[in-house]
Amino acid sequence: MKQSFDETFDVIIVGFGLAGGVAAMHAHDAGARVLLIDKNTVPGGLSICSYGAVRSAHDPDQAFTYLQATNAGRTPDDVVRALAEGMCGMEATVRELGKINNARILTSVEENAEREKAGDPYRRQIRANYPLPGTDTFYHTTVTDVPGFDARKEYPWANGAPGGPKLFRIIHDHLRKRSIEPRLGVAAQRLIADPDTKTVRGLTVTAGGKEYAIEAKRGIVLSCGGFEGNAAMKAQFLEAMPVLNASARNNTGDGIRMAQDLGAALWHMWHVHGAYGFRHTDADYPYGIRVKRFPDWFPGEEDKVRLKMAWILLDADGRRFMSEYHPYTQDTAVRPLQHYDPVKQRAPRNPAFMICDEAGRRMYPLGKAASNDKGLRYEWSDDNLKEVENGILKRAETVSGLAEQLGLDPATVVASVERWNAQCAAGRDTDFDRPAGSMQPIAEPPFYGSTMWATISNTQGGPVHDAQCRIVDVYGAPIPRLYAAGELGSSFGHLYLSGGNIAECFVTGKIAGRNVAAH
């Protein structure tokens, strides 16, 4: 029986973050009539919550060497090379795109020069995150200003870092210029394919309580993110339970499921980008709240760290178990929390327990919420006192009293804090080598604490794609007319590169958009 369709387009793109927007631009410019959909009722996806720093590179061979090492053989070389070569064009790409609204764009070198002039000691790292071959070829390109743009007015629900909305606005303006009007509140359900050849012909969607079928004459790009918003998938693919989602509850693995339906292979489903965070006392609040974002530091240069971290983390036994300040804390700090103790038959670090003192409470906001949901926005208070009032943070006049509130053994916690304070006085963390410049004693009452959970910003695993961004089946063959872009099966398979997913949105969005339109 021949499939009937309610509408017809050349190309359908599922997911309106940066990857979907870039794919739509390039498919349109290649002559395709494009439909861009997203099941969220506001635009931007997870991209709009990001820092908006696009990872860039100077030399493609050096970039490839570095990315090859960070993927540890989990991603084919030709896929890695496509990303490396794409990163070498990122600065020029962002500058050219930014002309549409006269955006001010700076490289990390230029940003640092301005910060130094202003007396700001916390400058952006110029190189990749780790001392691997090729690290020095990398830098960031960032949109620092879009004249006349008010993020709170245009994207009122985008609650993340300030750079994400500025970068997204550029892509949004390019879609408007091309008269590509995204359809929001439209959820993709299933791909429609030829039963014999698996060639993709369209998909079914739901909107307004109705289901209908849309034809894609040239093909489909899946750019609808990962599965951080799907508790069942996280329970199957990640070791820890639960793993809180930091900001994207609409990323429920829809693209993964649809691709699997046509036989797609999967890769590095375990790999997530995340740290640890708070759980709101409001049971209806859907997200974990990540700890404060700290500047990254470069292994071998621990002595350059100067920002004090106000807290330590304890396990269920009341003892420290990790350096709380990884070189890239927001990426890898989630990993130690996933440890399972086979002797005691428990996961003693999830939750873990944060402890700080009054001096630490006054330093800065301890948490930073992120979301992009209509009608939802939580702002962490500057002095952390709102979080004391709503119960996210516990407060006690003594360390032992705080331990009791947290359900920990008071004597063990007191001993752990005393040991930490002695190490602060000596200027060295002999247990876990946290950078000395970040060490802060916990001595001034009252004392504050909270449970801390494994929390992820995004998943990296998903359908396998080749260097042309074609989704590949379990036998290694491309599924005809089906493409991936962005974090839907990201190429990052072992260690992440800060700003890498943003660059990947541009690189794979361009490749997928052009290739799907060429059919």
Side-chain angles (χ1 to χ4, degrees):
M1 182 177 177
K2 186 177 180 180
Q3 173 72 47
S4 62
F5 293 98
D6 299 286
E7 284 186 282
T8 296
F9 290 84
D10 292 325
V11 171
I12 301 173
I13 296 168
V14 182
F16 183 28
L18 286 172
V22 171
M25 287 167 43
H26 286 283
H28 172 277
D29 292 353
R33 182 169 175 252
V34 176
L35 172 64
L36 174 60
I37 66 172
D38 197 296
K39 71 177 181 181
N40 200 351
T41 56
V42 295
L46 181 57
S47 301
I48 205 168
C49 297
S50 75
Y51 278 78
V54 187
R55 180 56 77 167
S56 309
H58 295 293
D59 182 89
D61 291 331
Q62 291 184 40
F64 169 72
T65 299
Y66 181 90
L67 291 172
Q68 188 183 43
T70 59
N71 279 288
R74 290 185 169 99
T75 307
D77 283 353
D78 60 342
V79 177
V80 175
R81 187 169 289 281
L83 180 58
E85 291 176 352
M87 285 180 175
C88 291
M90 277 298 96
E91 180 184 346
T93 295
V94 176
R95 289 191 186 281
E96 181 63 30
L97 291 171
K99 291 178 181 178
I100 195 169
N101 45 28
N102 298 312
R104 185 169 187 261
I105 296 164
L106 297 178
T107 66
S108 43
V109 175
E110 295 165 333
E111 277 192 275
N112 284 352
E114 290 198 355
R115 291 181 181 185
E116 184 174 11
K117 187 176 181 180
D120 182 354
Y122 306 118
R123 297 190 258 284
R124 188 181 294 281
Q125 184 171 281
I126 306 172
R127 58 189 151 186
N129 296 95
Y130 302 101
L132 297 167
T135 188
D136 291 331
T137 197
F138 291 99
Y139 63 102
H140 287 99
T141 303
T142 305
V143 179
T144 60
D145 183 55
V146 177
F149 170 58
D150 183 344
R152 287 299 299 268
K153 182 177 179 180
E154 182 157 350
Y155 306 123
W157 312 119
N159 183 25
K166 297 171 187 175
L167 181 62
F168 183 78
R169 168 63 187 270
I170 289 176
I171 301 304
H172 204 170
D173 281 352
H174 276 277
L175 296 179
R176 289 163 174 154
K177 178 182 178 181
R178 291 162 172 80
S179 298
I180 299 173
E181 185 61 39
R183 293 187 189 176
L184 302 177
V186 178
Q189 297 297 322
R190 298 190 70 159
L191 295 168
I192 300 170
D194 183 284
D196 297 319
T197 65
K198 300 295 184 183
T199 301
V200 171
R201 299 299 185 192
L203 82 168
T204 59
V205 302
T206 57
K210 298 180 180 180
E211 181 173 293
Y212 54 101
I214 308 175
E215 183 179 19
K217 295 171 66 176
R218 304 191 194 183
I220 289 176
V221 179
L222 299 177
S223 56
C224 44
F227 60 94
E228 52 269 20
N230 189 318
M233 290 183 73
K234 287 187 292 184
Q236 292 300 328
F237 292 117
L238 309 182
E239 184 176 3
M241 292 191 299
V243 176
L244 304 187
N245 171 20
S247 56
R249 60 176 163 178
N250 285 300
N251 285 8
T252 52
D254 301 342
I256 299 172
R257 169 179 49 80
M258 289 190 290
Q260 281 186 287
D261 191 34
L262 297 187
L266 302 179
W267 58 11
H268 43 257
M269 296 297 288
W270 67 275
H271 189 202
V272 297
H273 171 57
Y276 47 88
F278 303 89
R279 176 176 261 167
H280 204 297
T281 48
D282 180 355
D284 292 330
Y285 187 77
Y287 298 120
I289 301 174
R290 292 172 295 185
V291 292
K292 173 182 169 61
R293 174 72 160 93
F294 275 71
D296 304 332
W297 55 271
F298 198 72
E301 297 184 354
E302 292 86 338
D303 59 327
K304 293 184 179 180
V305 174
R306 292 291 180 269
L307 182 59
K308 300 293 185 183
M309 179 178 269
W311 64 85
I312 59 172
L313 289 183
L314 306 178
D315 64 15
D317 294 321
R319 298 182 176 90
R320 283 184 73 223
F321 60 90
M322 65 180 284
S323 167
E324 297 83 358
Y325 193 178
H326 284 199
Y328 187 5
T329 300
Q330 291 287 346
D331 179 48
T332 59
V334 67
R335 298 188 185 188
L337 275 73
Q338 300 192 70
H339 168 70
Y340 179 76
D341 183 343
V343 175
K344 296 183 178 180
Q345 296 291 301
R346 62 176 181 170
R349 304 171 182 174
N350 192 40
F353 301 87
M354 167 192 276
I355 290 184
C356 71
D357 69 354
E358 176 67 9
R361 193 273 302 168
R362 295 194 303 263
M363 281 184 180
Y364 37 62
L366 296 174
K368 175 67 175 77
S371 59
N372 186 35
D373 301 79
K374 192 171 185 178
L376 178 74
R377 191 180 185 100
Y378 181 78
E379 301 281 359
W380 192 283
S381 64
D382 289 339
D383 59 8
N384 302 293
L385 290 179
K386 181 173 73 174
E387 288 64 42
V388 175
E389 293 300 316
N390 65 25
I392 294 176
L393 291 173
K394 306 293 186 183
R395 178 169 56 191
E397 291 301 316
T398 64
V399 172
S400 60
L402 180 63
E404 289 179 354
Q405 288 194 47
L406 296 174
L408 302 175
D409 177 65
T412 305
V413 173
V414 168
S416 295
V417 171
E418 289 177 346
R419 178 173 178 80
W420 171 251
N421 288 342
Q423 290 177 322
C424 289
R428 184 185 174 194
D429 175 11
T430 56
D431 294 330
F432 301 104
D433 293 320
R434 186 166 124 181
S438 74
M439 297 174 71
Q440 170 73 14
I442 298 170
E444 180 184 345
F447 300 93
Y448 302 86
S450 180
T451 53
M452 304 296 291
W453 300 84
T455 302
I456 56 173
S457 301
N458 63 280
T459 59
Q460 304 287 4
V464 176
H465 66 77
D466 62 15
Q468 288 77 48
C469 290
R470 299 176 297 184
I471 292 180
V472 176
D473 70 17
V474 294
Y475 300 106
I479 299 172
R481 306 195 181 207
L482 184 62
Y483 293 80
E487 291 169 12
L488 182 86
S490 165
S491 66
F492 288 99
H494 175 56
L495 285 173
Y496 180 57
L497 173 64
S498 61
N501 283 144
I502 300 299
E504 193 171 31
C505 287
F506 282 85
V507 174
T508 59
K510 177 180 179 179
I511 294 172
R514 287 184 172 182
N515 286 343
V516 72
H519 289 289

